[in-house]
Amino acid sequence: MKIELTVDGAAVSDDVEPRMLLVQYLREKLGKTGTVIGCDTSNCGACTVHLDGTSVKSCNVLAVQAGGRTVTTIEGLADTVEGDLHPVQESFRECHGLQCGFCTPGMIMQAVDLLKENPNPSEEEVRLGMEGNLCRCTGYHNIVKSVLHAAGGGAA
Amino acid sequence: MIPVKFDYLAPTSVEEALAALGEHGDEAKIMAGGQSLLPVLRMRLNAPEVVIDLGGIDSLRGIRDDGDAIVIGAMTTHHDVREHALVREHALLISKAVAEVADSQIRHRGTFGGALAHADPAGDLGAPALALGAQFVIAGPGGSRTVEADDFFVDLFETAIGEDEILTEVRIPKHTGWGAHYEKFVRVAHQWPIVAVAATVRGSIDEARVGLTNMGSTPLRARATEAALAGASATEDGVREASQLAAEGTNPPTDLNGASDYRKHLARVLTGRAVLKAAGA
């Protein structure tokens, strides 16, 4: 099935099987391996991307459902702002909001969405807003710190 | 994992969707937001030959005021239901429960009607819909019909929606000014509840409606509790006796998360908490 969409600012078109998941499409057809597959059960949130500006788990969306829409991945996030990195990426670096780093792309994409809806969250609101993203290193404290730091810096 | 191959149809009207369903029959599966269906397909627990995606039918999205009820289009996302002022004003219990569905990303895609039609007994929306006396508008080849909440939930993952029918909207009778709370018991964030209680009350307490999640193969009303709450005072002592009746007539499952007796205990405790919070106490 033919699809046309915008991914990280570029128009792309492809012929895909209906059963192809968006995350597979991003990784296998477009080579955007910055978006990772963590659990394959839609629990962990590592594959979070933005679909028309809203966070979704890309393992739980079909590529054909993204037809005609705009996808932003961790690889294109910095291009949406001035500077080398998105402020949320800067904050994760500044606060060391990662250990092994595998969950980080999803954490950052969800944090950007959270701060778009709630620019000044409390710590509890950050924890609740990030509940769909798991860190197997259990490095949550610094992740929450990073999101709060980004909020304080006027990110998102 | 990758789903088994299927054909994908994206109708743009309810009529087209019904026609597709009529043509493909039980080889077809309807997809709303896909947040329950896609995991099922990926794990290959189901392998329909045709997936009919309702995502392109704009008329199924939105929330409107219809006199004594608010009407929620079946394809309205959890996120949009949660944010909507009409829902907060007239069906606060729905706002409270929908905020507890899964997680932010899932709520962006998952839909109100899809979750209800899926009828997972651990789903968060059945109990509040039942407690508020929701009416389900179902379209079929012969036109539309309306099913009362008491008749909608039939069994595990089974509703009154026929194989050739589609849920189009849900009417929620207005409960303007009623307090509400959804008390959900989970061990792990963003999981299905082991037990949850949906409570909404008028005054403190003139009248109460209480729905139970995951206390049987369908959502249930705690009718004995409701009757005992009429005229009760909104204090721990005042609601204790009524809460003790919450598990009456239920037959909750035993699974890895808890035994049947444990669930009954939870239902009593959570009912007390939910009712008091709903009454603002």
Side-chain angles (χ1 to χ4, degrees):
Chain A
M1 206 177 150
K2 181 97 188 244
I3 54 168
E4 293 180 14
L5 64 159
T6 303
V7 179
D8 292 336
V12 292
S13 71
D14 263 300
D15 201 22
V16 299
E17 277 191 276
R19 64 173 170 167
M20 178 173 256
L21 305 170
L22 178 58
V23 68
Q24 276 179 283
Y25 176 68
L26 294 172
R27 291 174 57 84
E28 293 169 20
K29 285 267 192 176
L30 302 183
K32 291 194 173 280
T33 50
T35 301
V36 296
I37 300 173
C39 68
D40 227 1
T41 57
S42 309
N43 275 289
C44 80
C47 67
T48 299
V49 301
H50 295 171
L51 183 61
D52 284 345
T54 304
S55 63
V56 301
K57 294 181 175 179
S58 62
C59 74
N60 223 16
V61 178
L62 298 172
V64 291
Q65 290 180 293
R69 297 173 184 270
T70 298
V71 176
T72 305
T73 77
I74 188 71
E75 297 190 28
L77 183 65
D79 297 336
T80 64
V81 294
E82 300 276 316
D84 290 341
L85 288 178
H86 187 282
V88 176
Q89 291 174 308
E90 284 284 8
S91 292
F92 271 70
R93 187 167 71 176
E94 183 69 26
C95 301
H96 197 67
L98 63 142
Q99 289 181 33
C100 84
F102 196 83
C103 70
T104 313
M107 288 286 178
I108 289 175
M109 295 310 283
Q110 179 54 22
V112 171
D113 185 277
L114 187 160
L115 294 174
K116 185 188 72 185
E117 289 201 7
N118 182 357
N120 285 299
S122 65
E123 184 188 326
E124 196 192 349
E125 285 169 338
V126 171
R127 288 182 185 275
L128 276 176
M130 303 291 290
E131 71 177 329
N133 293 71
L134 305 181
C135 167
R136 285 303 301 268
C137 307
T138 69
Y140 293 105
H141 286 307
N142 279 4
I143 291 169
V144 173
K145 213 183 282 177
S146 303
V147 181
L148 290 169
H149 183 267
Chain B
M1 282 196 30
I2 301 165
V4 173
K5 280 189 184 184
F6 54 79
D7 287 331
Y8 173 82
L9 299 176
T12 54
S13 71
V14 173
E15 291 70 29
E16 266 179 56
L18 287 170
L21 200 52
E23 187 184 337
H24 298 286
D26 57 12
E27 291 165 0
K29 194 83 190 148
I30 293 282
M31 178 160 71
Q35 300 304 285
S36 294
L37 181 63
L38 289 175
V40 164
L41 298 188
R42 283 208 316 270
M43 289 182 272
R44 303 200 173 190
L45 300 172
N46 199 335
E49 287 177 24
V50 179
V51 169
I52 303 171
D53 181 2
L54 303 185
I57 307 179
D58 291 336
S59 65
L60 292 179
R61 267 187 287 275
I63 298 170
R64 66 175 199 273
D65 192 319
D66 191 30
D68 56 0
I70 58 167
V71 182
I72 303 177
M75 288 293 290
T76 312
T77 63
H78 301 308
H79 179 262
D80 289 348
V81 172
R82 180 190 185 182
E83 299 292 315
H84 208 283
L86 275 177
V87 182
R88 263 202 306 276
E89 187 179 353
H90 302 297
L92 183 61
L93 183 57
I94 298 289
S95 301
K96 292 284 178 88
V98 86
E100 298 293 327
V101 172
D103 55 53
S104 168
Q105 293 99 312
I106 300 290
R107 289 193 296 269
H108 284 145
R109 294 287 299 169
T111 67
F112 192 71
L116 288 164
H118 184 53
D120 187 326
D124 291 302
L125 301 181
L130 191 62
L132 292 172
Q135 297 175 312
F136 296 80
V137 182
I138 299 167
S144 262
R145 65 192 179 102
T146 300
V147 174
E148 300 292 329
D150 286 337
D151 302 321
F152 182 75
F153 299 101
V154 176
D155 205 345
L156 209 67
F157 301 109
E158 190 183 338
T159 69
I161 305 170
E163 278 189 4
D164 54 354
E165 295 181 315
I166 294 169
L167 176 66
T168 55
E169 56 190 31
V170 183
R171 298 173 57 85
I172 315 276
K174 284 183 181 172
H175 285 66
T176 316
W178 287 52
H181 187 75
Y182 187 68
E183 184 78 14
K184 176 171 174 172
F185 190 84
V186 286
R187 286 215 181 93
V188 182
H190 79 75
Q191 282 296 347
W192 289 273
I194 298 170
V195 173
V197 176
T200 189
V201 304
R202 183 171 60 80
S204 61
I205 299 171
D206 298 321
E207 206 181 343
R209 299 274 181 278
V210 178
L212 307 173
T213 304
N214 215 10
M215 284 295 287
S217 57
T218 66
L220 298 170
R221 280 275 286 276
R223 292 189 189 272
T225 297
E226 291 178 1
L229 283 172
S233 65
T235 61
E236 277 193 31
D237 285 342
V239 304
R240 185 169 294 126
E241 209 173 303
S243 307
Q244 288 304 312
L245 302 171
E248 210 171 77
T250 65
N251 187 20
T254 291
D255 59 27
L256 287 174
N257 284 314
S260 184
D261 281 353
Y262 174 62
R263 282 198 161 86
K264 289 187 174 187
H265 171 73
L266 279 177
R268 296 181 195 111
V269 173
L270 302 179
T271 294
R273 289 182 195 165
V275 168
L276 284 178
K277 286 182 186 163

